[in-house]
Amino acid sequence: MKTQQELMSVSRAAELINAGKYLSIAGDEAALRQLPQGHWIGGTIPYFMAAEGGTVSREQVFVSEVSGFAVPPQLRFYDSATLPQICRNAPDNGYSILIIPAFSATHASFAQNAPNFEEMYMKPLIGWIAGIHLDDLGKTTPKVVLGSTGEFSESDAVVMDVPLPPEKFAQIDIVNLFHPGTGAGIRFQNNGFSAGDCLIGGQVGNLADYLLDKQIDTRLPLVADYSGAMINVSIKSIDREARRVEFYAPVFPGPEYRFAAPVTDYVTAFQAALPRSGLDISFSCNCILNFLNSQLEGKRTGEVTGPMTFGEIGYQLLNQTLVYLTVTE
Amino acid sequence: MKLEELLHHTLAIHAPWHIARVRNDLGKNQIDIWVSREAQRSGWFFTARSTPEQGRESVWRHINIGNARCIVHAVIPGEADSADLQWLGETDQPFTRAFARQIAGMFMQGVSFASVCALLDLPVADLWKFKHRLDNGKSGLSGPGSASDSISARIPAPNDPIWEELLSGNLQLDIRILSLKLLLTKLREQFAIISDGEVRTLKAHELQRYFTRHEKMLGHELAQLAQN
């Protein structure tokens, strides 16, 4: 049986909640506030990849049903002090869905410290960063919801821990269309959401100067090779005066980064890179930057649907990446 | 949480079992507890009425309470009642099941015999007795721990040099699993700057533990390890 993942009306989502289903829900804050209490977690975002194609909607919500669990999933909030325990607290066999409000201290802390959380990479952790409609920037804040109490939070993360029976196992994978380009290798001395001075091609340089001198398209992320996984760090802005570059995820001192090679046709490239057809994807999300930069509104990206988010979580924070979860026997 | 509940929780003693009596004057840094089946709660700390078990009282070393040894006194109940009790030990064994698992876990993580004794304040003779029975198949470690952490014939032992080869980058694998790609990248970065031999060994054990937990989905990677 295929996992139910679809964009739907608030009333239909409410029916599923009232039927006792365990759900992960994405939607605009006003839509989420209309939902009844129940076994669900949620986050704010009005951008979606629906079965019909890229969609912006403040009225509908995207619902992913959680099923096939061994015992009922656990739902709870984590603040930035308790979040490092998330993997330790996760079920021995199962997975966790994590939603964090963008721009919160929890978001910053997770981005910088997740790789060193106890039991990180030992238990599947997937999720996304809640956001807002871009027209609402400065007017409202991203939030997450603990459906069991109906409580909204702009500071804490919300988690659903899903224990699986012994014969099943969860696996997280990513689709990233970006690969390192042919430019200089870049290394950073410290981790952080911004950088100025760094090593460029082995020489001391400044990243802001480099971007401007080379006229690099800032829609292209920095890409690092993590033992075969291409991990992006997207460019948020360049501060010419301060000679610093702001990122949507932190850079780290270990890996060597390069600016990505251009992707000429995102939709075609994406469809070619998608997992095989018929795969039962239990949960997935993609990046709002892919939605915007590749003008995906109204365009389909194969069978993979989900919210288009302010950051993706595939164990750690990712940018401009599709993340998906499968459960296999 | 009340103090009484905290102690029961810490020592994995759950209803209908309860701590009927506690003494701290029978040995240096030692707390002795008597566990029995609870008949009726009175609401007073450690004063619930107990139903005496029939039979000879046994004594086992249980998981430490802070820096103090914890000694459990109890009569072994019927087999059907005792299968999952972690505060209970086997007949003629020095340790409760929970303590036995803790010790075995330390061995599996590569902690030396002498270090286990020192860290847990454990007499060498007791540990020898326990290990001898384990090695001869007379005792097991079955319990509620993670089955996925059990030892597999397909996965090299934690002290196999192949793990340090992987961590140093001398051995490269074609990896299909995202979590292994991310974990190996992190461990390689750490391994490159660690000079202490014991810490490097711990990193090798961490990687081996990942393979043990995820054996089901690592067929492609394990096939490559088998060729080395």
Side-chain angles (χ1 to χ4, degrees), chain A residues 92 115-116 119 121-122 166 169 171-172 226-229 254-255 315, chain B residues 146 177-179 181-183 185-186 189-190 206 209-210 213-214 216-217:
Chain A
D92 275 335
N116 295 316
E119 296 284 275
Y121 310 126
M122 291 288 180
F169 64 93
Q171 192 172 332
I172 294 169
Y226 282 57
S227 304
Y315 297 95
Chain B
S146 170
I177 306 298
L178 176 66
S179 54
K181 292 174 183 176
L182 299 175
L183 176 67
T185 301
K186 182 183 87 166
E189 285 171 10
Q190 294 172 337
E206 194 175 337
R209 184 169 156 257
Y210 173 91
R213 277 189 69 97
H214 298 91
K216 277 189 212 168
M217 58 187 194

PDB file of all heavy atoms in Angstrom, chain A residues 92 115-116 119 121-122 166 169 171-172 226-229 254-255 315, chain B residues 146 177-179 181-183 185-186 189-190 206 209-210 213-214 216-217:
ATOM      1  N   ASP A  92      15.206   2.569  18.822  1.00  0.00           N
ATOM      2  CA  ASP A  92      16.350   1.784  18.330  1.00  0.00           C
ATOM      3  C   ASP A  92      16.151   1.377  16.881  1.00  0.00           C
ATOM      4  O   ASP A  92      17.086   1.376  16.088  1.00  0.00           O
ATOM      5  CB  ASP A  92      16.550   0.535  19.196  1.00  0.00           C
ATOM      6  CG  ASP A  92      17.386   0.844  20.420  1.00  0.00           C
ATOM      7  OD1 ASP A  92      18.173   1.808  20.371  1.00  0.00           O
ATOM      8  OD2 ASP A  92      17.234   0.143  21.430  1.00  0.00           O
ATOM      9  N   PRO A 115      25.976  17.340  13.577  1.00  0.00           N
ATOM     10  CA  PRO A 115      26.883  16.212  13.292  1.00  0.00           C
ATOM     11  C   PRO A 115      27.507  15.609  14.553  1.00  0.00           C
ATOM     12  O   PRO A 115      27.936  14.460  14.532  1.00  0.00           O
ATOM     13  CB  PRO A 115      27.955  16.842  12.392  1.00  0.00           C
ATOM     14  CG  PRO A 115      27.256  17.979  11.727  1.00  0.00           C
ATOM     15  CD  PRO A 115      26.322  18.526  12.779  1.00  0.00           C
ATOM     16  N   ASN A 116      27.543  16.384  15.631  1.00  0.00           N
ATOM     17  CA  ASN A 116      28.150  15.866  16.860  1.00  0.00           C
ATOM     18  C   ASN A 116      27.140  15.452  17.917  1.00  0.00           C
ATOM     19  O   ASN A 116      27.528  15.144  19.048  1.00  0.00           O
ATOM     20  CB  ASN A 116      29.115  16.905  17.439  1.00  0.00           C
ATOM     21  CG  ASN A 116      30.287  17.130  16.508  1.00  0.00           C
ATOM     22  OD1 ASN A 116      30.856  16.171  15.980  1.00  0.00           O
ATOM     23  ND2 ASN A 116      30.639  18.382  16.262  1.00  0.00           N
ATOM     24  N   GLU A 119      24.681   9.704  19.023  1.00  0.00           N
ATOM     25  CA  GLU A 119      23.958   8.731  18.182  1.00  0.00           C
ATOM     26  C   GLU A 119      23.585   9.270  16.799  1.00  0.00           C
ATOM     27  O   GLU A 119      22.819   8.623  16.073  1.00  0.00           O
ATOM     28  CB  GLU A 119      22.685   8.218  18.875  1.00  0.00           C
ATOM     29  CG  GLU A 119      22.933   7.423  20.142  1.00  0.00           C
ATOM     30  CD  GLU A 119      23.433   6.019  19.869  1.00  0.00           C
ATOM     31  OE1 GLU A 119      22.618   5.132  19.638  1.00  0.00           O
ATOM     32  OE2 GLU A 119      24.666   5.842  19.889  1.00  0.00           O
ATOM     33  N   TYR A 121      23.622   9.816  12.986  1.00  0.00           N
ATOM     34  CA  TYR A 121      23.868   8.903  11.863  1.00  0.00           C
ATOM     35  C   TYR A 121      23.575   7.444  12.224  1.00  0.00           C
ATOM     36  O   TYR A 121      23.604   6.577  11.360  1.00  0.00           O
ATOM     37  CB  TYR A 121      25.303   9.006  11.308  1.00  0.00           C
ATOM     38  CG  TYR A 121      25.733  10.425  11.029  1.00  0.00           C
ATOM     39  CD1 TYR A 121      26.896  10.946  11.580  1.00  0.00           C
ATOM     40  CD2 TYR A 121      24.977  11.264  10.216  1.00  0.00           C
ATOM     41  CE1 TYR A 121      27.298  12.248  11.345  1.00  0.00           C
ATOM     42  CE2 TYR A 121      25.358  12.561   9.970  1.00  0.00           C
ATOM     43  CZ  TYR A 121      26.520  13.052  10.546  1.00  0.00           C
ATOM     44  OH  TYR A 121      26.906  14.352  10.307  1.00  0.00           O
ATOM     45  N   MET A 122      23.328   7.170  13.505  1.00  0.00           N
ATOM     46  CA  MET A 122      23.022   5.789  13.905  1.00  0.00           C
ATOM     47  C   MET A 122      21.530   5.496  13.736  1.00  0.00           C
ATOM     48  O   MET A 122      21.124   4.352  13.589  1.00  0.00           O
ATOM     49  CB  MET A 122      23.416   5.560  15.372  1.00  0.00           C
ATOM     50  CG  MET A 122      24.909   5.570  15.606  1.00  0.00           C
ATOM     51  SD  MET A 122      25.672   4.078  14.949  1.00  0.00           S
ATOM     52  CE  MET A 122      27.398   4.381  15.378  1.00  0.00           C
ATOM     53  N   PRO A 166      10.601  -5.092  13.990  1.00  0.00           N
ATOM     54  CA  PRO A 166      11.978  -5.547  13.717  1.00  0.00           C
ATOM     55  C   PRO A 166      12.239  -5.891  12.255  1.00  0.00           C
ATOM     56  O   PRO A 166      13.368  -5.757  11.780  1.00  0.00           O
ATOM     57  CB  PRO A 166      12.130  -6.788  14.594  1.00  0.00           C
ATOM     58  CG  PRO A 166      11.030  -6.734  15.584  1.00  0.00           C
ATOM     59  CD  PRO A 166       9.938  -5.894  15.018  1.00  0.00           C
ATOM     60  N   PHE A 169      13.035  -1.577   8.149  1.00  0.00           N
ATOM     61  CA  PHE A 169      14.036  -0.566   8.474  1.00  0.00           C
ATOM     62  C   PHE A 169      13.861   0.658   7.585  1.00  0.00           C
ATOM     63  O   PHE A 169      13.415   0.564   6.443  1.00  0.00           O
ATOM     64  CB  PHE A 169      15.466  -1.110   8.390  1.00  0.00           C
ATOM     65  CG  PHE A 169      15.907  -1.556   7.022  1.00  0.00           C
ATOM     66  CD1 PHE A 169      16.576  -0.697   6.169  1.00  0.00           C
ATOM     67  CD2 PHE A 169      15.668  -2.858   6.605  1.00  0.00           C
ATOM     68  CE1 PHE A 169      16.999  -1.104   4.913  1.00  0.00           C
ATOM     69  CE2 PHE A 169      16.079  -3.283   5.348  1.00  0.00           C
ATOM     70  CZ  PHE A 169      16.745  -2.410   4.507  1.00  0.00           C
ATOM     71  N   GLN A 171      15.261   4.167   5.734  1.00  0.00           N
ATOM     72  CA  GLN A 171      16.471   4.641   5.062  1.00  0.00           C
ATOM     73  C   GLN A 171      16.205   6.036   4.490  1.00  0.00           C
ATOM     74  O   GLN A 171      15.149   6.279   3.901  1.00  0.00           O
ATOM     75  CB  GLN A 171      16.831   3.660   3.947  1.00  0.00           C
ATOM     76  CG  GLN A 171      18.207   3.877   3.378  1.00  0.00           C
ATOM     77  CD  GLN A 171      18.601   2.760   2.423  1.00  0.00           C
ATOM     78  OE1 GLN A 171      18.133   1.620   2.543  1.00  0.00           O
ATOM     79  NE2 GLN A 171      19.442   3.083   1.471  1.00  0.00           N
ATOM     80  N   ILE A 172      17.176   6.915   4.668  1.00  0.00           N
ATOM     81  CA  ILE A 172      17.052   8.286   4.155  1.00  0.00           C
ATOM     82  C   ILE A 172      18.028   8.463   3.001  1.00  0.00           C
ATOM     83  O   ILE A 172      19.174   8.012   3.083  1.00  0.00           O
ATOM     84  CB  ILE A 172      17.369   9.298   5.272  1.00  0.00           C
ATOM     85  CG1 ILE A 172      16.302   9.217   6.368  1.00  0.00           C
ATOM     86  CG2 ILE A 172      17.452  10.720   4.718  1.00  0.00           C
ATOM     87  CD1 ILE A 172      16.658   9.967   7.621  1.00  0.00           C
ATOM     88  N   TYR A 226      31.090  14.638   0.683  1.00  0.00           N
ATOM     89  CA  TYR A 226      31.141  13.881   1.942  1.00  0.00           C
ATOM     90  C   TYR A 226      31.155  12.393   1.605  1.00  0.00           C
ATOM     91  O   TYR A 226      30.126  11.733   1.629  1.00  0.00           O
ATOM     92  CB  TYR A 226      29.925  14.197   2.818  1.00  0.00           C
ATOM     93  CG  TYR A 226      29.974  15.502   3.575  1.00  0.00           C
ATOM     94  CD1 TYR A 226      30.153  16.717   2.932  1.00  0.00           C
ATOM     95  CD2 TYR A 226      29.807  15.527   4.952  1.00  0.00           C
ATOM     96  CE1 TYR A 226      30.179  17.915   3.629  1.00  0.00           C
ATOM     97  CE2 TYR A 226      29.832  16.713   5.675  1.00  0.00           C
ATOM     98  CZ  TYR A 226      30.019  17.899   4.997  1.00  0.00           C
ATOM     99  OH  TYR A 226      30.037  19.084   5.694  1.00  0.00           O
ATOM    100  N   SER A 227      32.300  11.883   1.284  1.00  0.00           N
ATOM    101  CA  SER A 227      32.459  10.444   0.958  1.00  0.00           C
ATOM    102  C   SER A 227      31.466   9.997  -0.109  1.00  0.00           C
ATOM    103  O   SER A 227      30.922   8.892  -0.044  1.00  0.00           O
ATOM    104  CB  SER A 227      32.293   9.582   2.214  1.00  0.00           C
ATOM    105  OG  SER A 227      33.180   9.976   3.226  1.00  0.00           O
ATOM    106  N   GLY A 228      31.207  10.868  -1.065  1.00  0.00           N
ATOM    107  CA  GLY A 228      30.301  10.531  -2.158  1.00  0.00           C
ATOM    108  C   GLY A 228      28.962  11.234  -2.089  1.00  0.00           C
ATOM    109  O   GLY A 228      28.223  11.245  -3.072  1.00  0.00           O
ATOM    110  N   ALA A 229      28.593  11.785  -0.945  1.00  0.00           N
ATOM    111  CA  ALA A 229      27.352  12.568  -0.840  1.00  0.00           C
ATOM    112  C   ALA A 229      27.691  14.032  -1.091  1.00  0.00           C
ATOM    113  O   ALA A 229      28.578  14.581  -0.438  1.00  0.00           O
ATOM    114  CB  ALA A 229      26.735  12.403   0.545  1.00  0.00           C
ATOM    115  N   GLY A 254      36.265  21.231   7.998  1.00  0.00           N
ATOM    116  CA  GLY A 254      36.828  20.001   7.449  1.00  0.00           C
ATOM    117  C   GLY A 254      36.849  19.919   5.933  1.00  0.00           C
ATOM    118  O   GLY A 254      37.920  19.818   5.321  1.00  0.00           O
ATOM    119  N   PRO A 255      35.696  19.953   5.298  1.00  0.00           N
ATOM    120  CA  PRO A 255      35.660  19.638   3.865  1.00  0.00           C
ATOM    121  C   PRO A 255      36.148  20.773   2.971  1.00  0.00           C
ATOM    122  O   PRO A 255      36.218  21.932   3.377  1.00  0.00           O
ATOM    123  CB  PRO A 255      34.165  19.382   3.610  1.00  0.00           C
ATOM    124  CG  PRO A 255      33.448  20.098   4.692  1.00  0.00           C
ATOM    125  CD  PRO A 255      34.359  20.176   5.864  1.00  0.00           C
ATOM    126  N   TYR A 315      19.526  13.850   8.359  1.00  0.00           N
ATOM    127  CA  TYR A 315      20.454  13.767   9.490  1.00  0.00           C
ATOM    128  C   TYR A 315      20.901  15.173   9.893  1.00  0.00           C
ATOM    129  O   TYR A 315      20.633  15.631  10.979  1.00  0.00           O
ATOM    130  CB  TYR A 315      21.681  12.876   9.195  1.00  0.00           C
ATOM    131  CG  TYR A 315      21.297  11.455   8.932  1.00  0.00           C
ATOM    132  CD1 TYR A 315      21.108  10.990   7.628  1.00  0.00           C
ATOM    133  CD2 TYR A 315      21.076  10.575   9.968  1.00  0.00           C
ATOM    134  CE1 TYR A 315      20.718   9.684   7.378  1.00  0.00           C
ATOM    135  CE2 TYR A 315      20.681   9.266   9.744  1.00  0.00           C
ATOM    136  CZ  TYR A 315      20.506   8.829   8.448  1.00  0.00           C
ATOM    137  OH  TYR A 315      20.110   7.543   8.212  1.00  0.00           O
TER     138      TYR A 315
ATOM    139  N   SER B 146      19.361  -3.753  22.474  1.00  0.00           N
ATOM    140  CA  SER B 146      19.121  -3.704  21.047  1.00  0.00           C
ATOM    141  C   SER B 146      19.612  -4.970  20.367  1.00  0.00           C
ATOM    142  O   SER B 146      20.799  -5.266  20.390  1.00  0.00           O
ATOM    143  CB  SER B 146      19.827  -2.491  20.448  1.00  0.00           C
ATOM    144  OG  SER B 146      19.779  -2.569  19.055  1.00  0.00           O
ATOM    145  N   ILE B 177      24.932   4.305   1.083  1.00  0.00           N
ATOM    146  CA  ILE B 177      24.049   4.715   2.177  1.00  0.00           C
ATOM    147  C   ILE B 177      24.448   6.099   2.691  1.00  0.00           C
ATOM    148  O   ILE B 177      25.594   6.311   3.098  1.00  0.00           O
ATOM    149  CB  ILE B 177      24.114   3.682   3.323  1.00  0.00           C
ATOM    150  CG1 ILE B 177      23.812   2.283   2.785  1.00  0.00           C
ATOM    151  CG2 ILE B 177      23.157   4.057   4.452  1.00  0.00           C
ATOM    152  CD1 ILE B 177      22.425   2.120   2.196  1.00  0.00           C
ATOM    153  N   LEU B 178      23.475   7.022   2.706  1.00  0.00           N
ATOM    154  CA  LEU B 178      23.770   8.411   3.081  1.00  0.00           C
ATOM    155  C   LEU B 178      24.368   8.516   4.483  1.00  0.00           C
ATOM    156  O   LEU B 178      25.356   9.220   4.692  1.00  0.00           O
ATOM    157  CB  LEU B 178      22.479   9.245   3.011  1.00  0.00           C
ATOM    158  CG  LEU B 178      22.623  10.699   3.473  1.00  0.00           C
ATOM    159  CD1 LEU B 178      23.536  11.485   2.544  1.00  0.00           C
ATOM    160  CD2 LEU B 178      21.253  11.361   3.581  1.00  0.00           C
ATOM    161  N   SER B 179      23.774   7.821   5.450  1.00  0.00           N
ATOM    162  CA  SER B 179      24.259   7.978   6.825  1.00  0.00           C
ATOM    163  C   SER B 179      25.697   7.520   6.961  1.00  0.00           C
ATOM    164  O   SER B 179      26.474   8.119   7.718  1.00  0.00           O
ATOM    165  CB  SER B 179      23.356   7.214   7.800  1.00  0.00           C
ATOM    166  OG  SER B 179      23.219   5.873   7.418  1.00  0.00           O
ATOM    167  N   LYS B 181      27.984   7.664   4.552  1.00  0.00           N
ATOM    168  CA  LYS B 181      28.813   8.703   3.911  1.00  0.00           C
ATOM    169  C   LYS B 181      29.083   9.847   4.891  1.00  0.00           C
ATOM    170  O   LYS B 181      30.215  10.326   5.020  1.00  0.00           O
ATOM    171  CB  LYS B 181      28.107   9.262   2.668  1.00  0.00           C
ATOM    172  CG  LYS B 181      27.989   8.275   1.522  1.00  0.00           C
ATOM    173  CD  LYS B 181      27.140   8.871   0.388  1.00  0.00           C
ATOM    174  CE  LYS B 181      26.949   7.870  -0.744  1.00  0.00           C
ATOM    175  NZ  LYS B 181      26.057   8.368  -1.801  1.00  0.00           N
ATOM    176  N   LEU B 182      28.035  10.264   5.581  1.00  0.00           N
ATOM    177  CA  LEU B 182      28.179  11.402   6.505  1.00  0.00           C
ATOM    178  C   LEU B 182      28.994  11.007   7.733  1.00  0.00           C
ATOM    179  O   LEU B 182      29.863  11.755   8.192  1.00  0.00           O
ATOM    180  CB  LEU B 182      26.796  11.912   6.919  1.00  0.00           C
ATOM    181  CG  LEU B 182      25.912  12.431   5.777  1.00  0.00           C
ATOM    182  CD1 LEU B 182      24.520  12.794   6.310  1.00  0.00           C
ATOM    183  CD2 LEU B 182      26.536  13.644   5.098  1.00  0.00           C
ATOM    184  N   LEU B 183      28.717   9.815   8.263  1.00  0.00           N
ATOM    185  CA  LEU B 183      29.448   9.368   9.456  1.00  0.00           C
ATOM    186  C   LEU B 183      30.933   9.177   9.147  1.00  0.00           C
ATOM    187  O   LEU B 183      31.801   9.616   9.910  1.00  0.00           O
ATOM    188  CB  LEU B 183      28.860   8.055   9.976  1.00  0.00           C
ATOM    189  CG  LEU B 183      29.606   7.438  11.167  1.00  0.00           C
ATOM    190  CD1 LEU B 183      29.464   8.314  12.405  1.00  0.00           C
ATOM    191  CD2 LEU B 183      29.112   6.023  11.463  1.00  0.00           C
ATOM    192  N   THR B 185      32.736  10.533   6.846  1.00  0.00           N
ATOM    193  CA  THR B 185      33.393  11.836   6.643  1.00  0.00           C
ATOM    194  C   THR B 185      33.740  12.464   7.987  1.00  0.00           C
ATOM    195  O   THR B 185      34.863  12.968   8.182  1.00  0.00           O
ATOM    196  CB  THR B 185      32.468  12.774   5.843  1.00  0.00           C
ATOM    197  OG1 THR B 185      32.186  12.166   4.588  1.00  0.00           O
ATOM    198  CG2 THR B 185      33.118  14.128   5.613  1.00  0.00           C
ATOM    199  N   LYS B 186      32.779  12.431   8.919  1.00  0.00           N
ATOM    200  CA  LYS B 186      33.034  13.018  10.242  1.00  0.00           C
ATOM    201  C   LYS B 186      34.156  12.267  10.962  1.00  0.00           C
ATOM    202  O   LYS B 186      35.084  12.882  11.496  1.00  0.00           O
ATOM    203  CB  LYS B 186      31.753  12.974  11.085  1.00  0.00           C
ATOM    204  CG  LYS B 186      31.912  13.603  12.448  1.00  0.00           C
ATOM    205  CD  LYS B 186      30.671  13.485  13.311  1.00  0.00           C
ATOM    206  CE  LYS B 186      30.653  12.185  14.075  1.00  0.00           C
ATOM    207  NZ  LYS B 186      29.649  12.161  15.151  1.00  0.00           N
ATOM    208  N   GLU B 189      37.614  12.971   9.551  1.00  0.00           N
ATOM    209  CA  GLU B 189      38.134  14.282   9.966  1.00  0.00           C
ATOM    210  C   GLU B 189      38.684  14.209  11.390  1.00  0.00           C
ATOM    211  O   GLU B 189      39.744  14.764  11.687  1.00  0.00           O
ATOM    212  CB  GLU B 189      37.026  15.339   9.894  1.00  0.00           C
ATOM    213  CG  GLU B 189      36.696  15.765   8.481  1.00  0.00           C
ATOM    214  CD  GLU B 189      35.454  16.655   8.428  1.00  0.00           C
ATOM    215  OE1 GLU B 189      34.972  17.079   9.490  1.00  0.00           O
ATOM    216  OE2 GLU B 189      34.976  16.917   7.316  1.00  0.00           O
ATOM    217  N   GLN B 190      37.961  13.512  12.262  1.00  0.00           N
ATOM    218  CA  GLN B 190      38.418  13.381  13.646  1.00  0.00           C
ATOM    219  C   GLN B 190      39.675  12.517  13.719  1.00  0.00           C
ATOM    220  O   GLN B 190      40.632  12.849  14.414  1.00  0.00           O
ATOM    221  CB  GLN B 190      37.304  12.760  14.511  1.00  0.00           C
ATOM    222  CG  GLN B 190      36.084  13.662  14.642  1.00  0.00           C
ATOM    223  CD  GLN B 190      34.917  12.962  15.330  1.00  0.00           C
ATOM    224  OE1 GLN B 190      34.831  11.737  15.349  1.00  0.00           O
ATOM    225  NE2 GLN B 190      34.011  13.743  15.891  1.00  0.00           N
ATOM    226  N   GLU B 206      33.382   2.805  17.036  1.00  0.00           N
ATOM    227  CA  GLU B 206      32.168   3.544  16.661  1.00  0.00           C
ATOM    228  C   GLU B 206      31.746   3.167  15.245  1.00  0.00           C
ATOM    229  O   GLU B 206      30.560   2.957  14.967  1.00  0.00           O
ATOM    230  CB  GLU B 206      32.451   5.045  16.771  1.00  0.00           C
ATOM    231  CG  GLU B 206      31.204   5.900  16.738  1.00  0.00           C
ATOM    232  CD  GLU B 206      31.506   7.379  16.961  1.00  0.00           C
ATOM    233  OE1 GLU B 206      32.563   7.716  17.550  1.00  0.00           O
ATOM    234  OE2 GLU B 206      30.698   8.204  16.520  1.00  0.00           O
ATOM    235  N   ARG B 209      30.429  -0.335  15.163  1.00  0.00           N
ATOM    236  CA  ARG B 209      29.084  -0.380  15.742  1.00  0.00           C
ATOM    237  C   ARG B 209      28.033   0.059  14.711  1.00  0.00           C
ATOM    238  O   ARG B 209      26.935  -0.498  14.648  1.00  0.00           O
ATOM    239  CB  ARG B 209      29.037   0.524  16.975  1.00  0.00           C
ATOM    240  CG  ARG B 209      27.736   0.489  17.699  1.00  0.00           C
ATOM    241  CD  ARG B 209      27.811   1.170  19.044  1.00  0.00           C
ATOM    242  NE  ARG B 209      26.491   1.594  19.435  1.00  0.00           N
ATOM    243  CZ  ARG B 209      26.039   2.837  19.362  1.00  0.00           C
ATOM    244  NH1 ARG B 209      26.832   3.805  18.953  1.00  0.00           N
ATOM    245  NH2 ARG B 209      24.816   3.135  19.707  1.00  0.00           N
ATOM    246  N   TYR B 210      28.374   1.063  13.899  1.00  0.00           N
ATOM    247  CA  TYR B 210      27.456   1.490  12.842  1.00  0.00           C
ATOM    248  C   TYR B 210      27.159   0.317  11.896  1.00  0.00           C
ATOM    249  O   TYR B 210      26.007   0.050  11.543  1.00  0.00           O
ATOM    250  CB  TYR B 210      28.049   2.673  12.050  1.00  0.00           C
ATOM    251  CG  TYR B 210      27.202   3.027  10.855  1.00  0.00           C
ATOM    252  CD1 TYR B 210      26.186   3.971  10.957  1.00  0.00           C
ATOM    253  CD2 TYR B 210      27.379   2.370   9.642  1.00  0.00           C
ATOM    254  CE1 TYR B 210      25.369   4.256   9.872  1.00  0.00           C
ATOM    255  CE2 TYR B 210      26.573   2.642   8.559  1.00  0.00           C
ATOM    256  CZ  TYR B 210      25.575   3.597   8.675  1.00  0.00           C
ATOM    257  OH  TYR B 210      24.767   3.858   7.599  1.00  0.00           O
ATOM    258  N   ARG B 213      24.876  -2.235  13.533  1.00  0.00           N
ATOM    259  CA  ARG B 213      23.478  -1.784  13.618  1.00  0.00           C
ATOM    260  C   ARG B 213      22.775  -1.817  12.267  1.00  0.00           C
ATOM    261  O   ARG B 213      21.574  -2.040  12.195  1.00  0.00           O
ATOM    262  CB  ARG B 213      23.429  -0.339  14.127  1.00  0.00           C
ATOM    263  CG  ARG B 213      23.514  -0.174  15.613  1.00  0.00           C
ATOM    264  CD  ARG B 213      23.218   1.268  15.965  1.00  0.00           C
ATOM    265  NE  ARG B 213      21.824   1.585  15.719  1.00  0.00           N
ATOM    266  CZ  ARG B 213      20.879   1.566  16.650  1.00  0.00           C
ATOM    267  NH1 ARG B 213      21.181   1.269  17.873  1.00  0.00           N
ATOM    268  NH2 ARG B 213      19.640   1.857  16.354  1.00  0.00           N
ATOM    269  N   HIS B 214      23.518  -1.516  11.189  1.00  0.00           N
ATOM    270  CA  HIS B 214      22.889  -1.332   9.879  1.00  0.00           C
ATOM    271  C   HIS B 214      23.230  -2.446   8.884  1.00  0.00           C
ATOM    272  O   HIS B 214      23.159  -2.242   7.682  1.00  0.00           O
ATOM    273  CB  HIS B 214      23.301   0.031   9.304  1.00  0.00           C
ATOM    274  CG  HIS B 214      22.854   1.189  10.136  1.00  0.00           C
ATOM    275  ND1 HIS B 214      23.633   1.735  11.126  1.00  0.00           N
ATOM    276  CD2 HIS B 214      21.687   1.872  10.159  1.00  0.00           C
ATOM    277  CE1 HIS B 214      22.974   2.725  11.708  1.00  0.00           C
ATOM    278  NE2 HIS B 214      21.791   2.827  11.147  1.00  0.00           N
ATOM    279  N   LYS B 216      21.747  -4.923   7.742  1.00  0.00           N
ATOM    280  CA  LYS B 216      20.726  -5.291   6.745  1.00  0.00           C
ATOM    281  C   LYS B 216      20.846  -4.486   5.457  1.00  0.00           C
ATOM    282  O   LYS B 216      20.532  -4.979   4.388  1.00  0.00           O
ATOM    283  CB  LYS B 216      19.331  -5.038   7.329  1.00  0.00           C
ATOM    284  CG  LYS B 216      18.799  -6.135   8.198  1.00  0.00           C
ATOM    285  CD  LYS B 216      17.334  -5.804   8.499  1.00  0.00           C
ATOM    286  CE  LYS B 216      16.911  -6.298   9.849  1.00  0.00           C
ATOM    287  NZ  LYS B 216      15.608  -5.750  10.250  1.00  0.00           N
ATOM    288  N   MET B 217      21.235  -3.239   5.565  1.00  0.00           N
ATOM    289  CA  MET B 217      21.231  -2.407   4.348  1.00  0.00           C
ATOM    290  C   MET B 217      22.637  -2.143   3.815  1.00  0.00           C
ATOM    291  O   MET B 217      22.809  -1.313   2.929  1.00  0.00           O
ATOM    292  CB  MET B 217      20.491  -1.094   4.592  1.00  0.00           C
ATOM    293  CG  MET B 217      21.025  -0.254   5.695  1.00  0.00           C
ATOM    294  SD  MET B 217      19.892   1.146   5.941  1.00  0.00           S
ATOM    295  CE  MET B 217      20.902   2.204   6.957  1.00  0.00           C
TER     296      MET B 217
END
